[in-house]
Amino acid sequence: MKFTNLTRHTEIGANSYYLEIARHRLLLDCGMHPKYTGEDALPNFKAIGDREVEAILMSHAHQDHIGILPLAMRRFPAARIFMTEATAEVGSVLLHNSVNVMTRQREEIGEMSYPLFTHREIDRASERWRWCPTRQPISIAGERAAGLEKETLTFEFFDAGHVLGSTGVMLRGEGKTVFYSGDVNFDDQTIMQAAVFPEDKIDVLIMECTRGDHAKPDGWTRPGEEQRLAEALAAAFERDACVLIPVFALGKTQEVLAMLHKFRRQRLLPEFPIYIGGLSSKFTDIYDRRSHATRRQLPRLKLMKDVAPFILNDETVRDTALRGGRVHVLSSGMMIPRTLSNVFARRIIENPKHSIFFVGYANPESPAGLLREVGQGGEVALDPDKPPQRIRCNIEQFQFSAHATRESLVDYAKRISPKKIVLVHGDSPAVEWMRASLSNELPGSEVIVPTPGVELEL
Ligand SMILES: [Zn+2]
Ligand SMILES: [Zn+2]
């Protein structure tokens, strides 16, 4: 079995992994780096030379996992593409949005290779995506494969509890089993239910490490954290503040909307207006349409109707009134320059009355990461093209991660005690913590941090 990490660094970037198993060649995910542009934003396909791949298995529709799928399909024209139906629906919206973003970037930053693909190409490509249910073994040729596992390579999707449609992928072939976690959460969120992952022994576990450098705080519970957020909002309203919550358009937006809905219903807070962006509203529509067809909490909650957020776009975000008591749940979560959250943050950051609440992961070098790091009183340039600003607004951090705690990742690995554990999808300190603790807790397992671009024999 051969494995190559196609990310360019040990990081959460353009996630893509090449796997050769039972004489078949596959890709797991093909993402785009959320922070870089041009060549640096792509997986390093050069590392596999001119090898063809037979199938591309998608774990979920976040940009860092699906962002360059049309490009990968051009490079590997014979590949079959497998994902859940929800991932296909969300992924198509995300990729169309990405064409618009890249078209703008072509002008703004002079990246002449952009857009990397077109709207028409996405439409044609998505016709070739095959939708697969979870918990159904399927042969790599795309057929139902109950009982065929011994003769052929099969895969099976397991609910990963991360965002709508997200999965982990089990591969079985030539008597070997490989399980790729994708992005996973072992705890319930407000909408998503905890992952249901295989519990049988497996040979190789390829596991994400997003939160590897964060210990779960003592006494942390999700209900307790929700209470803390409700109190922080109440305090902000008291100050007549308007609040920004930077979020990923997919997943975190819907989780936060559901939480805000609960606060209103429980009368923890008075009625207050909520604002989201256009892309977020499209994803929220999909959550609503699929509310009864997916494994989730609050299946009757229709976010667009019941929470009724107002919608901001690139223009209106620049002049919407900064009135007290308004909550702005805007993407991008990392506050990448020119996104709604970045533009809005620059409007409120110098005013001590207003608040920015962080609720999830941010790349430490991203504007959101810098802002959290520097904190109140410091200076930060949220947009490198604009002068730095003094941080005077109130900043608070909450933990509503869509990713598993490092403790639960280690527990899972201990339960299935794989022969080999390959650590991916983490910044260096996170991966290093996971390597050290897994080596310690599972002395019988080989723990591997795959050097990007280097083929491993597993
Ligand atoms: Zn994700
Ligand atoms: Zn990810």
Side-chain angles (χ1 to χ4, degrees):
M1 195 186 314
K2 293 191 171 80
F3 175 91
T4 307
N5 176 5
L6 302 178
T7 65
R8 288 171 191 269
H9 308 277
T10 297
E11 63 176 358
I12 305 174
N15 295 289
S16 189
Y17 308 98
Y18 171 78
L19 192 64
E20 242 178 85
I21 171 173
R23 300 179 311 283
H24 295 275
R25 293 166 169 177
L26 319 168
L27 283 185
L28 299 168
D29 288 337
C30 35
M32 186 173 189
H33 201 296
K35 213 176 133 268
Y36 300 148
T37 52
E39 177 91 7
D40 292 342
L42 309 179
N44 175 21
F45 288 136
K46 287 199 186 96
I48 52 172
D50 54 6
R51 277 179 269 191
E52 264 300 326
V53 309
E54 207 177 316
I56 306 178
L57 301 162
M58 304 305 307
S59 70
H60 67 294
H62 270 147
Q63 173 87 343
D64 61 322
H65 295 260
I66 202 173
I68 60 121
L69 181 56
L71 205 68
M73 289 174 70
R74 209 189 295 154
R75 184 178 175 117
F76 307 110
R80 295 186 193 88
I81 319 296
F82 299 107
M83 65 187 81
T84 62
E85 190 178 345
T87 293
E89 190 172 1
V90 173
S92 158
V93 170
L94 179 128
L95 291 169
H96 279 294
N97 179 70
S98 181
V99 172
N100 299 340
V101 172
M102 287 189 285
T103 305
R104 253 196 340 260
Q105 284 177 326
R106 183 188 171 89
E107 299 295 315
E108 287 168 354
I109 58 170
E111 179 55 64
M112 297 321 275
S113 64
Y114 280 6
L116 293 169
F117 40 84
T118 62
H119 291 296
R120 260 188 68 196
E121 191 172 9
I122 299 166
D123 288 335
R124 276 203 307 267
S126 60
E127 283 169 18
R128 289 181 42 217
W129 299 350
R130 301 186 184 203
W131 305 341
C132 307
T134 53
R135 309 305 296 270
Q136 168 74 58
I138 294 167
S139 79
I140 210 69
E143 277 139 24
R144 280 177 179 239
L148 286 176
E149 287 86 341
K150 284 192 182 62
E151 295 118 60
T152 179
L153 177 67
T154 68
F155 67 91
E156 181 174 351
F157 286 131
F158 287 78
D159 189 338
H162 170 61
V163 296
L164 182 68
S166 65
T167 57
V169 188
M170 175 71 98
L171 291 151
R172 301 180 180 95
E174 286 184 340
K176 287 248 168 65
T177 49
V178 177
F179 185 66
Y180 168 51
S181 71
D183 289 359
V184 57
N185 197 343
F186 291 110
D187 292 310
D188 287 338
Q189 302 177 56
T190 308
I191 292 182
M192 298 304 296
Q193 288 182 10
V196 183
F197 267 8
E199 294 286 338
D200 11 313
K201 295 258 177 291
I202 57 169
D203 296 306
V204 177
L205 171 63
I206 304 167
M207 188 159 76
E208 70 124 315
C209 303
T210 312
R211 292 176 71 188
D213 59 344
H214 285 100
K216 186 173 158 180
D218 271 344
W220 184 94
T221 63
R222 194 170 173 103
E225 200 70 349
E226 287 185 2
Q227 180 69 29
R228 204 163 72 79
L229 176 61
E231 284 163 12
L233 284 166
F237 293 172
E238 194 80 359
R239 270 198 329 272
D240 209 28
C242 72
V243 178
L244 167 65
I245 307 180
V247 287
F248 289 114
L250 171 64
K252 194 52 62 69
T253 298
Q254 293 75 32
E255 294 289 343
V256 170
L257 289 179
M259 255 188 274
L260 297 179
H261 176 71
K262 274 171 57 180
F263 298 162
R264 283 172 171 172
R265 282 275 297 270
Q266 296 164 351
R267 305 207 182 284
L268 291 174
L269 296 170
E271 277 299 311
F272 56 92
I274 298 169
Y275 295 79
I276 64 174
L279 176 64
S280 298
S281 78
K282 287 184 192 164
F283 291 143
T284 307
D285 272 331
I286 301 175
Y287 268 70
D288 287 345
R289 275 207 302 282
R290 296 191 162 271
S291 59
H292 286 284
T294 33
R295 198 178 145 264
R296 61 170 264 181
Q297 333 230 45
L298 309 171
R300 281 195 298 277
L301 173 61
K302 300 284 187 201
L303 293 163
M304 290 307 286
K305 184 170 137 284
D306 299 334
V307 184
F310 297 98
I311 298 176
L312 293 176
N313 61 32
D314 289 345
E315 297 303 319
T316 52
V317 75
R318 289 170 201 281
D319 51 23
T320 181
L322 302 179
R323 227 166 261 144
R326 294 183 171 187
V327 179
H328 306 78
V329 185
L330 302 178
S331 71
S332 64
M334 302 205 198
M335 300 172 63
I336 304 295
R338 299 187 185 86
T339 60
L340 298 185
S341 60
N342 186 292
V343 171
F344 194 81
R346 284 193 290 107
R347 294 186 60 201
I348 64 170
I349 189 172
E350 290 172 307
N351 187 335
K353 190 167 81 169
H354 300 314
S355 287
I356 302 179
F357 294 166
F358 290 105
V359 292
Y361 172 82
N363 178 307
E365 286 161 25
S366 66
L370 291 176
L371 182 52
R372 287 160 72 146
E373 178 68 31
V374 175
Q376 223 177 9
E379 244 191 22
V380 72
L382 292 179
D383 186 332
D385 294 341
K386 305 266 168 26
Q389 292 172 293
R390 176 77 55 195
I391 308 169
R392 293 201 181 83
C393 71
N394 157 251
I395 293 181
E396 297 196 40
Q397 313 213 17
F398 300 88
Q399 295 221 17
F400 295 107
S401 181
H403 292 269
T405 61
R406 61 186 190 178
E407 293 80 7
S408 61
L409 291 170
V410 172
D411 284 347
Y412 179 66
K414 279 163 75 178
R415 290 205 298 280
I416 58 170
S417 65
K419 293 193 188 88
K420 298 185 183 189
I421 304 173
V422 182
L423 297 175
V424 297
H425 199 283
D427 299 324
S428 273
V431 173
E432 282 313 316
W433 186 91
M434 291 292 290
R435 178 188 358 220
S437 40
L438 287 166
S439 306
N440 194 29
E441 302 260 0
L442 284 156
S445 303
E446 186 186 348
V447 184
I448 302 162
V449 175
T451 307
V454 176
E455 187 170 88
L456 282 175
E457 187 68 50
L458 290 178

